[in-house]
Amino acid sequence: MDKRTALSKKARLLHLSALSLAEGMKTGSFHSLYKGKGIEFSGVREYLKGDDVRAIDWNVTARMGHPYVKVFEEDRELDVFIIIDTSRSMFSGSGHVTRLEKAMECASLLTLASYHNASPVGAVMFDGKIHFSCAPKSGHEQIMLLLSQFEKSFSQGIAGSALDSALLGAGRLLKKRTLVMVFSDFRTTDWFDSFSRLCHRHDVVAVRIGDPSDEKLPSVGAIPFKDMESNYKCVLPTSSASLRKEWAKANQLRVDSWKYECIRHGGIPLLVSTDGDSFHELFSFFSKRERV
C-alpha cells in the first residue's frame, strides 16, 4: 500500500468514526454536558414515575383526570471550542504515535463530528506562544481551515507553554456557553486560575494525553533521556527496580493532583493514551457522561 492510498484510507476511517461520534454527542453527551441555548414547548405526555412534579400541566391534568407533564425540546446547536497544546513536550511518545499526533487525531474527530452536527467549531493552538486562534463558526470552509491548521502543527516551535494565555484568550473569545476541549500533557504551571474562570462560563473538558512510558519504564539498562523543552539530558538505570517504582509513583501523584485540580476548579478530567483508540476513548467518554 503506497503512502497516498494509506492516507486516503485513514481519511475515510476518520470520517466514518466522526459520523458515529457525532451521533453519540448529539443524542448523549451534548445533552448531558450542555443544556442548549433555547427551550421550546412541544406538547404534553402522561406523567411517569420520576418526572419533575414542577413540569405537571395542571390544566390538562384536570381535564384528563390523571397527571400530564409538559414536554420541552432543546436547541442542540452547540458551540465547540478546541484548545491544543503543540509545545515541544507533546512531541514525545514511546510507540508509533506521539502525544501531539494523538491530540490532533482527537481534535480532527471532534471537528468533523461538530460539522456533522451543524455545530459551530473553533480552535486555538499554542506552544510557547499562541500561533493560531479562530472563533467558532459553522460550514465546510471553517472545517477545512481547522483541519489544515492541525496538519501544519507538526513542527517544533517556541519552547515553553502558553496554556494560561490560551485559556484566558478562550474566555475572551467565546461569547456564549460552549463545550471546550483542552488537549495537553499539562506539563506546565500557573494555569489553574484561568482554567477556573473558563469553567465558570463554559463546560470544560481537560484531556490529558498520556503515554505508557509515563507509568512504566522498560527494564533495558542505562539509557539516555532528554527533556524536550530544556534539552537537558541524563542517563537513567532503567534496570533498577527502585527507579521504576519511583517513576510510576511520581507519575501517579502528578495525575492524581491534576485530576483533583480539574474537578476542584469545575472542569472534567479525561485521560487519553497514545496507545489507545481515539474514537473509542472519546465515544466512551461521551457515553459515560450521558449516564451521569
Side-chain angles (χ1 to χ4, degrees), residues 28 30 70 77 84 95-96 98 121 128 144 196 230 236 243 250 269 273:
F30 263 59
K70 297 176 183 178
E77 184 187 273
I84 309 174
H96 299 296
T98 66
V121 58
M144 296 309 296
S196 179
S230 65
L236 296 178
L243 171 67
S273 178

Side-chain angles (χ1 to χ4, degrees), residues 47-114:
Y47 175 87
L48 299 174
K49 184 178 180 180
D51 284 338
D52 189 342
V53 294
R54 291 173 297 181
I56 292 177
D57 187 317
W58 295 107
N59 291 328
V60 177
T61 296
R63 289 199 305 269
M64 302 302 294
H66 54 276
Y68 274 75
V69 293
K70 297 176 183 178
V71 178
F72 296 90
E73 189 170 307
E74 293 176 333
D75 184 343
R76 293 178 183 272
E77 184 187 273
L78 310 178
D79 282 14
V80 178
F81 195 71
I82 303 170
I83 300 176
I84 309 174
D85 182 352
T86 67
S87 60
R88 293 179 179 178
S89 62
M90 291 288 286
F91 285 78
S92 63
S94 59
H96 299 296
V97 178
T98 66
R99 298 174 206 269
L100 181 58
E101 289 171 326
K102 175 60 64 173
M104 289 304 174
E105 186 174 60
C106 290
S108 298
L109 277 168
L110 283 167
T111 298
L112 290 168
S114 298

Side-chain angles (χ1 to χ4, degrees), residues 209-229:
I209 309 295
D211 185 83
S213 63
D214 296 339
E215 304 173 29
K216 186 176 181 180
L217 279 177
S219 180
V220 291
I223 58 174
F225 284 78
K226 175 184 176 181
D227 183 274
M228 301 291 286
E229 294 287 349

Side-chain angles (χ1 to χ4, degrees), residues 92 94 99 184-187 208-217 225 242-260 271-275:
S92 63
S94 59
R99 298 174 206 269
S184 176
D185 57 9
F186 294 92
R187 296 186 180 186
R208 186 184 183 99
I209 309 295
D211 185 83
S213 63
D214 296 339
E215 304 173 29
K216 186 176 181 180
L217 279 177
F225 284 78
S242 60
L243 171 67
R244 296 197 304 275
K245 181 179 179 180
E246 288 302 314
W247 181 279
K249 181 180 177 181
N251 175 71
Q252 191 60 55
L253 287 173
R254 286 192 296 270
V255 171
D256 289 345
S257 175
W258 164 79
K259 282 184 177 179
Y260 171 78
L271 278 169
V272 170
S273 178
T274 57
D275 68 346

